[in-house]
């Protein structure tokens, strides 16, 4: 079904998927495929029905969890559309984050899972917990090259986590990102950082000049402080995927 839809034959794709369902099959993989197909077709009501059933059946397809979370998120946003601050209750946050949390343990990891979680936490009426921040930090460690996730991770750490973790992310982003909305957002967040502790070295404002060479070489981007999984630490322990 998925291949047919990608080929532009949406009706044939749907028929190929719905036939075994009509015959009585309720395999989680089939339900997930039906849900994703309905989502691609723009029918979120039917998509949600199939995706909820697939996830109840423990389907091992992270995209299904992500799309269900997106549908739930759109639904809760409609309920707060008339509110001035458009903040989400703890129950609404939990409803959206539930499938995202489940998707974390299913390969392959998806950056969009962490990006959406960070957005939802940032809209919460209740203060995000340390576990919420760790959730997002896990995604930052896994997907250091995702500008949106870097910005959202830096903001959550600055507001609700460890400002020094936020400083590391901001400095890393300012060193590696080209001029872009994400880089501008990180520069703005840097203005809100607390002063460095006394005696701490200030981050360099410019990168050291590359040695001259007759044959220009394309250098790798600067490594983040601590690099890789050592970039962020919480409670003395490295945040790992």
């Amino acid at each position: 079904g998925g291949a047919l839809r990608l080929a532009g034959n949406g009706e044939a794709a749907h028929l190929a998927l719905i036939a075994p369902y009509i015959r009585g099959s309720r395999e989680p993989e089939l339900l997930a495929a039906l849900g994703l197909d309905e989502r691609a077709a723009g029918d979120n009501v039917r998509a949600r029905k199939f995706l909820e059933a697939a996830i109840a059946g423990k389907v091992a397809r992270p995209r299904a969890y992500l799309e269900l979370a997106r549908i739930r998120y759109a639904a809760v946003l409609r309920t707060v559309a008339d509110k001035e601050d458009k903040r989400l209750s703890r129950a609404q946050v939990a409803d959206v984050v539930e499938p995202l949390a489940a998707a974390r343990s299913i390969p392959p990891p998806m950056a969009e899972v962490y990006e959406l979680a960070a957005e939802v936490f940032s809209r919460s009426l209740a203060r995000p917990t340390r576990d919420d921040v760790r959730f997002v930090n896990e995604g930052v460690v896994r997907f250091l090259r995702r500008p949106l996730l870097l910005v959202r991770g830096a903001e959550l750490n600055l507001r609700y986590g460890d400002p020094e973790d936020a400083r590391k992310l901001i400095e890393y982003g300012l060193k590696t990102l080209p001029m872009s909305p994400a880089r501008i957002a990180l520069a703005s967040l840097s203005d809100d950082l607390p002063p460095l502790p006394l005696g701490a070295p200030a981050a360099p404002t410019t990168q050291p000049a590359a040695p001259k060479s007759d044959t220009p070489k394309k250098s790798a981007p600067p490594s983040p402080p601590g690099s890789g999984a050592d970039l962020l630490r919480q409670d003395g322990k490295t945040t790992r995927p």
Side-chain angles (χ1 to χ4, degrees):
L4 287 170
R5 181 168 291 282
L6 287 173
N9 198 335
E11 184 176 355
H14 180 72
L15 290 175
L17 290 170
I18 202 69
Y21 180 82
I22 292 172
R23 292 195 296 268
S25 175
R26 297 297 185 270
E27 290 295 321
E29 281 291 338
L30 173 64
L31 296 171
L34 281 164
L36 294 174
D37 183 69
E38 295 289 1
R39 175 84 165 138
D43 190 335
N44 287 337
V45 174
R46 285 175 60 82
R48 182 168 188 168
K49 180 186 78 168
F50 287 123
L51 292 173
E52 295 277 11
I55 288 169
K58 309 294 184 186
V59 68
R61 193 166 181 179
R63 173 67 64 181
Y65 294 80
L66 173 62
E67 294 304 329
L68 177 60
R70 284 173 167 166
I71 291 170
R72 289 184 179 183
Y73 186 43
V76 298
L77 285 181
R78 287 193 293 271
T79 68
V80 299
D82 295 333
K83 295 182 179 179
E84 186 175 346
D85 62 1
K86 296 179 173 52
R87 296 282 179 174
L88 306 181
S89 69
R90 190 182 297 275
Q92 288 172 320
V93 169
D95 186 52
V96 179
V97 171
E98 179 190 25
L100 297 175
R104 293 163 71 187
S105 61
I106 304 172
M110 301 182 70
E112 296 96 328
V113 165
Y114 298 97
E115 288 170 347
L116 181 56
E119 180 176 342
V120 173
F121 291 141
S122 71
R123 284 181 173 267
S124 176
L125 270 170
R127 181 184 177 88
T129 66
R130 296 185 66 132
D131 283 342
D132 296 338
V133 177
R134 288 191 187 100
F135 185 159
V136 177
N137 284 349
E138 175 184 289
V140 173
V141 168
R142 282 180 157 175
F143 301 100
L144 274 174
R145 304 295 182 189
R146 296 284 289 207
L148 177 61
L149 188 53
L150 200 58
V151 172
R152 290 180 175 169
E155 184 170 17
L156 276 174
N157 277 283
L158 179 60
R159 311 295 182 210
Y160 308 111
D162 185 342
E164 292 311 305
D165 280 343
R167 191 186 308 279
K168 293 174 187 176
L169 294 179
I170 291 168
E171 291 175 356
Y172 174 69
L174 292 178
K175 288 178 182 178
T176 58
L177 294 180
M179 183 54 65
S180 61
R183 196 181 194 285
I184 292 169
L186 288 171
S188 177
L189 287 174
S190 71
D191 294 337
D192 296 332
L193 285 169
L196 279 167
L198 288 176
T205 56
T206 60
Q207 297 181 39
K212 293 182 179 180
S213 170
D214 293 334
T215 306
K217 294 182 179 180
K218 188 175 182 180
S219 60
S223 297
S227 76
D230 292 327
L231 176 59
L232 300 176
R233 294 177 180 273
Q234 300 273 334
D235 295 336
K237 296 181 180 179
T238 302
T239 303
R240 297 185 182 274

